[in-house]
């Protein structure tokens, strides 16, 4: 079948490549001529395991092409997939202007029946707005072309997106049209032939399902981080608690790991967008606001522990940081906890030696021109980052960090001190290996936590007094 994918970002590229790999003829459209040139030259703008060879194979087979010609894309596909970004606006709500612009483009060039599929994460009611934009564009041309609109949100995990697309847990299809349902079913049949995966519902329910799914997962993360804070106060081990509650099938083990909070392009943006949508609908999303607040606070947990350990004196010290991406198997640093850690350390006058298997290039781009960039070194491997550091901080749970050479690490560090934001190691093992070890919620005691909070409160009070003096002047 002929498929047009509008958008060559994360969702667009994965979707286009996977659909082409099933034998479809896919045209991927982007208005950025520079990006299209890079893609046509075999350069990917992002890292996703397995995506590069998948795109190369299907381009070589003639099933996948890239173009900036929106007219050609609008005429090509029986399926017109909208996979463009929906960034947060100043109020945290999702900005759907790019989605609606693509809908207008489709209407301006549509020549025969098509199924317009919105895969972008969009607020409830967007499918109706897409339908309206396409209809208005067709009316301006003075033509009548039949089309259907389907909401088909993506559920791809960065780092495992190809596997998620090829072997989906579910495929949510929002439509009230039987013909569109059967066509979408045929499009996804190569991925669902062994088990029925389509979950068909109305478009508004499909749109809310995407937000609800991400908000539920984010809630689990923030809940465990609150439990971790309590575990530290009472001397419990959150990892033991995690196993105890995860063994209950009603809870399960997914997304109940305490750490330095969630990041990425989805959870932070979608939770805020859902809060905004709820407010617009007259609902006070108190729980979601708490989920967001807990996560923002959790991103600074290692800094609080670090400052408590060093008595608030971080200036002039050097710290190693393992992990820059918000999660393993991606170079995505959007909303990454590592950004909060780096910014805080630089602000307090410390130097940072950071390493990430794939995200160093993205970090270099982000910190180019930063006023304190001279104190940030991006290292080529993990042990280089540890050389001469006053402590090691871990922000991303890459596999290569799980079982390092601890003897070598201890020799490289100026002091055998680890602040583990992902609970990769057992505290008892670290103690036997001669390390002073601080995890998240591992029962390492309330005294250190209380010291960190006291420092933070003292600084806040000082800032308040300074602000009051400024106002009085």
């Amino acid at each position: 079948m002929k498929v047009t994918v509008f958008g060559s970002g994360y969702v667009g590229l994965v979707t286009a490549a996977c659909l082409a790999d099933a034998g479809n003829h896919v045209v991927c459209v982007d208005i950025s001529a520079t990006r299209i040139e890079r893609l046509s030259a075999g350069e990917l703008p992002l890292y996703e395991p397995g995506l590069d060879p998948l795109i190369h194979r299907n381009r070589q087979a003639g099933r996948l092409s890239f173009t900036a010609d929106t007219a050609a894309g609008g005429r090509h596909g029986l399926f017109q997939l909208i996979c463009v970004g929906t960034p947060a606006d100043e109020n945290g709500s999702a900005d759907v202007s790019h989605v609606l612009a693509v809908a207008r483009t489709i209407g301006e060039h549509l020549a025969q029946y098509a199924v317009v599929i919105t895969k972008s994460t969009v607020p409830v009611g967007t499918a109706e707005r897409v339908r309206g934009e396409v209809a208005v564009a067709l009316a301006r041309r003075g033509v009548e072309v039949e089309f259907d609109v389907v909401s088909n949100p993506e559920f791809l995990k960065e780092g495992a997106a190809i596997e998620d697309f090829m072997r989906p847990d579910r495929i949510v299809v929002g439509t009230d049209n039987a013909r569109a349902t059967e066509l979408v079913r045929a499009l996804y049949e190569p991925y669902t032939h062994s088990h029925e995966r389509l979950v068909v519902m109305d478009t508004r329910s499909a749109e809310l399902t995407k937000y609800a799914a991400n908000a539920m997962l984010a809630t689990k993360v923030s809940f465990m981080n609150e439990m971790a804070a309590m575990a530290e106060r009472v001397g419990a081990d959150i990892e033991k608690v995690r196993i105890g509650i995860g063994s209950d099938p009603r809870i399960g083990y997914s997304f109940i790991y305490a750490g330095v909070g969630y990041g990425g392009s989805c959870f932070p943006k979608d939770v805020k967008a859902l809060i905004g949508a709820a407010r617009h609908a007259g609902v006070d999303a108190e729980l979601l606001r708490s989920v967001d607040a807990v996560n923002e606070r959790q991103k600074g947990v290692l800094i609080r522990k670090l400052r408590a350990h060093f008595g608030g004196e971080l200036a002039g010290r050097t710290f190693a940081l393992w992990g820059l991406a918000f999660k393993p198997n991606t170079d995505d640093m959007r909303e990454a906890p590592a950004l909060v850690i780096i910014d805080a350390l630089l602000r307090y006058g410390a130097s940072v030696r950071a390493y990430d298997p794939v995200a160093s290039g993205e970090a270099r781009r982000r910190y180019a021109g930063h006023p304190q960039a001279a104190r940030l070194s991006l290292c080529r491997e993990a042990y280089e980052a540890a050389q001469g550091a006053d402590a090691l901080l871990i922000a991303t749970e890459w596999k290569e960090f799980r079982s390092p050479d601890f003897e070598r690490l201890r020799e490289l560090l100026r002091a055998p001190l680890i602040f583990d934001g992902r609970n990769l190691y057992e505290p008892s093992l670290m103690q036997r290996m001669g390390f002073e070890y601080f995890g998240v919620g591992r029962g390492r005691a309330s005294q250190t936590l209380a010291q960190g909070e006291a420092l933070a409160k003292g600084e806040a009070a000082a800032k308040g007094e300074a602000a009051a003096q400024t106002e009085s002047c």
Side-chain angles (χ1 to χ4, degrees), residues 137-466:
L138 288 170
R140 284 175 180 160
R141 291 169 55 199
V143 298
E144 292 186 8
V145 180
E146 195 176 0
F147 68 95
D148 286 309
V149 175
V150 170
S151 175
N152 173 220
E154 53 84 17
F155 295 95
L156 305 176
K157 298 187 296 292
E158 291 193 47
I162 293 173
E163 177 71 14
D164 287 345
F165 197 102
M166 300 290 197
R167 296 176 177 82
D169 296 320
R170 78 289 204 194
I171 299 172
V172 173
V173 177
T175 179
D176 56 3
N177 183 287
R179 174 174 58 173
T181 300
E182 290 310 307
L183 285 171
V184 173
R185 189 186 303 278
L187 179 66
Y188 284 113
E189 195 278 334
Y191 319 107
T192 64
H193 64 275
S194 59
H195 294 89
E196 176 58 70
R197 301 297 189 194
L198 259 68
V199 182
V200 182
M201 58 187 75
D202 59 278
T203 56
R204 286 180 168 252
S205 296
E207 290 164 339
L208 184 56
T209 295
K210 169 62 176 181
Y211 277 114
N214 280 352
M216 172 62 79
L217 297 176
T219 299
K220 293 179 74 173
V221 174
S222 284
F223 172 80
M224 287 305 289
N225 283 329
E226 280 213 335
M227 291 298 99
M230 183 173 180
E232 290 190 352
R233 290 286 185 155
V234 302
D237 186 342
I238 196 63
E239 280 296 289
K240 303 293 192 300
V241 175
R242 177 183 66 81
I243 295 169
I245 67 174
S247 58
D248 185 334
R250 296 172 299 175
I251 298 172
Y253 290 105
S254 298
F255 290 87
I256 59 169
Y257 291 84
V260 287
Y262 58 76
S265 63
C266 294
F267 286 10
K269 175 177 71 71
D270 292 353
V271 168
K272 288 180 172 65
L274 192 52
I275 293 170
R279 183 171 56 247
H280 183 74
V283 175
D284 181 14
E286 185 176 358
L287 174 61
L288 293 178
R289 285 190 283 108
S290 296
V291 168
D292 183 50
V294 168
N295 190 64
E296 290 303 307
R297 183 173 69 246
Q298 196 68 15
K299 289 181 179 181
V301 67
L302 290 192
I303 296 298
R304 293 192 293 274
K305 290 174 181 288
L306 200 65
R307 297 194 69 230
H309 180 82
F310 288 102
E313 299 298 326
L314 302 184
R317 297 185 183 275
T318 298
F319 297 101
L321 177 63
W322 283 2
L324 294 167
F326 84 95
K327 64 180 288 188
N329 298 319
T330 181
D331 62 351
D332 193 344
M333 289 184 66
R334 286 174 287 184
E335 301 284 343
L339 294 173
V340 174
I341 294 170
I342 293 172
D343 290 347
L345 290 174
L346 296 179
R347 186 170 63 250
Y348 286 127
S351 296
V352 182
R353 296 173 59 82
Y355 167 72
D356 188 284
V358 300
S360 291
E362 175 62 15
R364 189 172 290 107
R365 183 191 68 80
R366 282 179 173 270
Y367 283 93
H370 189 282
Q372 283 86 43
R375 287 190 277 112
L376 172 62
S377 300
L378 298 172
C379 302
R380 292 171 296 179
E381 55 99 23
Y383 297 108
E384 179 187 348
Q387 178 72 51
D390 290 283
L392 168 64
L393 286 69
I394 301 174
T396 313
E397 62 276 31
W398 285 94
K399 282 186 178 180
E400 69 176 86
F401 300 157
R402 292 184 179 274
S403 186
D405 183 339
F406 286 112
E407 290 186 8
R408 182 182 179 190
L409 184 61
R410 191 173 60 243
E411 292 173 358
L412 290 171
L413 290 169
R414 189 171 298 169
L417 182 59
I418 297 177
F419 291 84
D420 183 358
R422 296 300 180 182
N423 288 340
L424 298 184
Y425 314 131
E426 277 299 315
S428 58
L429 173 62
M430 291 296 95
Q431 187 176 12
R432 289 197 300 272
M433 295 290 294
F435 286 92
E436 194 169 6
Y437 177 77
F438 296 87
V440 178
R442 306 306 301 270
R444 185 59 184 267
S446 56
Q447 182 180 3
T448 298
L449 182 65
Q451 289 172 349
E453 290 177 347
L455 282 168
K457 288 177 181 177
E459 282 192 352
K463 287 179 181 177
E465 291 175 6

Side-chain angles (χ1 to χ4, degrees), residues 56-74:
H56 178 74
R57 179 170 70 244
N58 284 284
R59 287 188 66 238
Q60 290 292 105
R63 293 188 297 265
L64 175 61
S65 61
F66 299 99
T67 182
D69 187 344
T70 56

